[in-house]
Coordinates of all heavy atoms in Angstrom, one line a residue:
A97 N 37.1 -25.3 20.2 CA 37.7 -24.2 20.9 C 39.1 -24.5 21.3 O 40.0 -23.6 21.2 CB 36.8 -23.7 22.1
I98 N 39.3 -25.7 21.7 CA 40.7 -26.2 22.1 C 41.6 -26.1 20.9 O 42.7 -25.6 20.9 CB 40.7 -27.5 22.7 CG1 40.1 -27.4 24.1 CG2 42.1 -28.2 22.7 CD1 39.7 -28.7 24.8
V99 N 41.0 -26.6 19.7 CA 41.9 -26.5 18.5 C 42.1 -25.1 18.1 O 43.2 -24.7 17.7 CB 41.2 -27.3 17.4 CG1 42.1 -27.3 16.1 CG2 41.0 -28.8 17.8
F100 N 41.1 -24.2 18.2 CA 41.2 -22.8 17.9 C 42.3 -22.2 18.8 O 43.2 -21.4 18.3 CB 39.9 -22.2 18.1 CG 39.8 -20.7 17.8 CD1 39.5 -20.2 16.5 CD2 40.0 -19.7 18.8 CE1 39.4 -18.9 16.3 CE2 39.9 -18.4 18.6 CZ 39.7 -17.9 17.2
A101 N 42.3 -22.5 20.1 CA 43.3 -22.0 21.0 C 44.7 -22.5 20.6 O 45.6 -21.7 20.8 CB 42.9 -22.5 22.4
A102 N 44.8 -23.6 20.1 CA 46.1 -24.2 19.7 C 46.8 -23.3 18.6 O 48.0 -23.2 18.5 CB 46.0 -25.6 19.2
T103 N 46.0 -22.7 17.8 CA 46.5 -21.8 16.7 C 47.3 -20.6 17.4 O 48.1 -20.0 16.7 CB 45.4 -21.3 15.7 OG1 44.5 -20.4 16.4 CG2 44.7 -22.4 15.1
F104 N 46.9 -20.3 18.6 CA 47.6 -19.2 19.3 C 48.7 -19.6 20.2 O 49.3 -18.8 20.9 CB 46.5 -18.4 20.2 CG 45.5 -17.7 19.4 CD1 44.3 -18.3 19.0 CD2 45.7 -16.3 19.0 CE1 43.4 -17.7 18.2 CE2 44.7 -15.7 18.4 CZ 43.6 -16.3 17.9
A105 N 49.1 -20.9 20.1 CA 50.0 -21.5 21.1 C 51.4 -20.7 21.1 O 51.9 -20.6 22.2 CB 50.3 -22.9 20.8
G107 N 51.7 -17.6 20.0 CA 51.5 -16.1 20.0 C 51.3 -15.6 18.6 O 51.0 -14.4 18.5
V109 N 49.5 -16.5 14.9 CA 48.6 -17.4 14.1 C 49.1 -17.4 12.6 O 49.1 -16.3 12.0 CB 47.2 -17.1 14.1 CG1 46.3 -18.0 13.3 CG2 46.7 -17.0 15.6
F142 N 34.0 -18.1 19.1 CA 35.3 -18.2 19.7 C 36.1 -16.8 19.6 O 36.7 -16.4 20.5 CB 36.2 -19.2 19.0 CG 35.6 -20.6 19.1 CD1 35.9 -21.6 18.2 CD2 34.7 -21.0 20.0 CE1 35.4 -22.8 18.1 CE2 34.1 -22.3 20.0 CZ 34.5 -23.2 19.1
T143 N 36.0 -16.2 18.4 CA 36.6 -14.9 18.1 C 36.1 -13.9 19.1 O 36.9 -13.0 19.6 CB 36.4 -14.5 16.7 OG1 36.9 -15.6 15.9 CG2 37.1 -13.2 16.4
I145 N 34.9 -14.3 22.1 CA 35.4 -14.7 23.4 C 36.8 -14.2 23.5 O 37.3 -13.6 24.5 CB 35.2 -16.1 23.8 CG1 33.7 -16.5 23.9 CG2 36.0 -16.5 25.1 CD1 33.5 -18.0 24.0
Y146 N 37.6 -14.5 22.5 CA 39.0 -14.2 22.4 C 39.1 -12.6 22.5 O 39.9 -12.1 23.3 CB 39.6 -14.7 21.2 CG 41.0 -14.1 20.8 CD1 42.1 -14.5 21.6 CD2 41.2 -13.2 19.8 CE1 43.3 -13.9 21.4 CE2 42.4 -12.7 19.6 CZ 43.5 -13.1 20.3 OH 44.7 -12.5 20.1
D147 N 38.3 -11.9 21.7 CA 38.4 -10.5 21.6 C 38.0 -9.8 23.0 O 38.6 -8.8 23.4 CB 37.5 -9.9 20.5 CG 38.1 -10.2 19.1 OD1 39.2 -10.5 19.0 OD2 37.3 -10.1 18.2
T148 N 37.1 -10.4 23.7 CA 36.6 -9.8 24.9 C 37.4 -10.2 26.1 O 37.8 -9.4 26.9 CB 35.1 -10.3 25.1 OG1 34.3 -9.9 24.0 CG2 34.5 -9.7 26.3
D149 N 37.7 -11.5 26.2 CA 38.3 -12.1 27.4 C 39.7 -12.7 27.3 O 40.4 -13.0 28.2 CB 37.4 -13.1 28.0 CG 36.0 -12.6 28.4 OD1 36.0 -11.5 29.0 OD2 35.1 -13.2 28.1
G150 N 40.2 -12.9 26.1 CA 41.5 -13.5 25.8 C 41.4 -14.9 25.5 O 40.5 -15.6 25.8
I151 N 42.5 -15.4 24.9 CA 42.6 -16.8 24.6 C 42.6 -17.8 25.8 O 42.1 -18.9 25.8 CB 43.8 -17.1 23.7 CG1 43.6 -18.4 22.8 CG2 45.1 -17.1 24.5 CD1 42.5 -18.4 21.9
E152 N 43.1 -17.3 26.9 CA 43.1 -18.1 28.1 C 41.7 -18.4 28.6 O 41.4 -19.4 29.1 CB 43.9 -17.4 29.3 CG 45.4 -17.2 29.0 CD 45.7 -16.0 28.2 OE1 44.9 -15.2 27.9 OE2 46.9 -15.9 27.7
A153 N 40.8 -17.3 28.5 CA 39.5 -17.5 28.9 C 38.8 -18.6 28.1 O 38.0 -19.4 28.5 CB 38.7 -16.2 28.9
L154 N 39.0 -18.5 26.7 CA 38.4 -19.4 25.8 C 38.9 -20.9 26.1 O 38.1 -21.8 26.2 CB 38.7 -19.1 24.4 CG 38.2 -20.0 23.3 CD1 36.7 -20.1 23.4 CD2 38.7 -19.6 21.9
F155 N 40.2 -21.0 26.4 CA 40.9 -22.2 26.6 C 40.2 -22.9 27.9 O 39.8 -24.0 27.9 CB 42.4 -22.0 26.9 CG 43.1 -23.3 27.3 CD1 43.6 -24.2 26.4 CD2 43.3 -23.6 28.6 CE1 44.3 -25.3 26.8 CE2 44.0 -24.7 29.1 CZ 44.5 -25.6 28.1
N156 N 40.1 -22.0 29.0 CA 39.6 -22.5 30.3 C 38.1 -22.9 30.1 O 37.7 -24.0 30.6 CB 39.7 -21.4 31.3 CG 41.2 -21.3 31.7 OD1 42.0 -22.2 31.6 ND2 41.5 -20.1 32.2
L157 N 37.4 -22.1 29.4 CA 35.9 -22.5 29.1 C 35.8 -23.8 28.4 O 35.0 -24.6 28.6 CB 35.3 -21.3 28.4 CG 33.8 -21.4 28.2 CD1 33.0 -21.5 29.4 CD2 33.3 -20.2 27.4
A158 N 36.7 -24.0 27.4 CA 36.6 -25.2 26.6 C 37.0 -26.4 27.5 O 36.3 -27.5 27.4 CB 37.6 -25.1 25.4
F191 N 52.2 -25.0 25.7 CA 50.7 -25.2 25.4 C 50.3 -26.6 25.5 O 49.3 -27.0 26.1 CB 50.4 -24.6 24.1 CG 49.0 -24.8 23.7 CD1 47.9 -24.0 24.2 CD2 48.6 -25.9 22.9 CE1 46.6 -24.2 23.8 CE2 47.3 -26.1 22.6 CZ 46.3 -25.3 23.0

Side-chain angles (χ1 to χ4, degrees):
I98 287 169
V99 181
F100 183 87
T103 65
F104 291 86
V109 180
F142 303 156
T143 303
I145 295 168
Y146 168 73
D147 289 344
T148 304
D149 299 315
I151 201 66
E152 295 83 7
L154 178 62
F155 177 87
N156 292 333
L157 185 59
F191 174 83

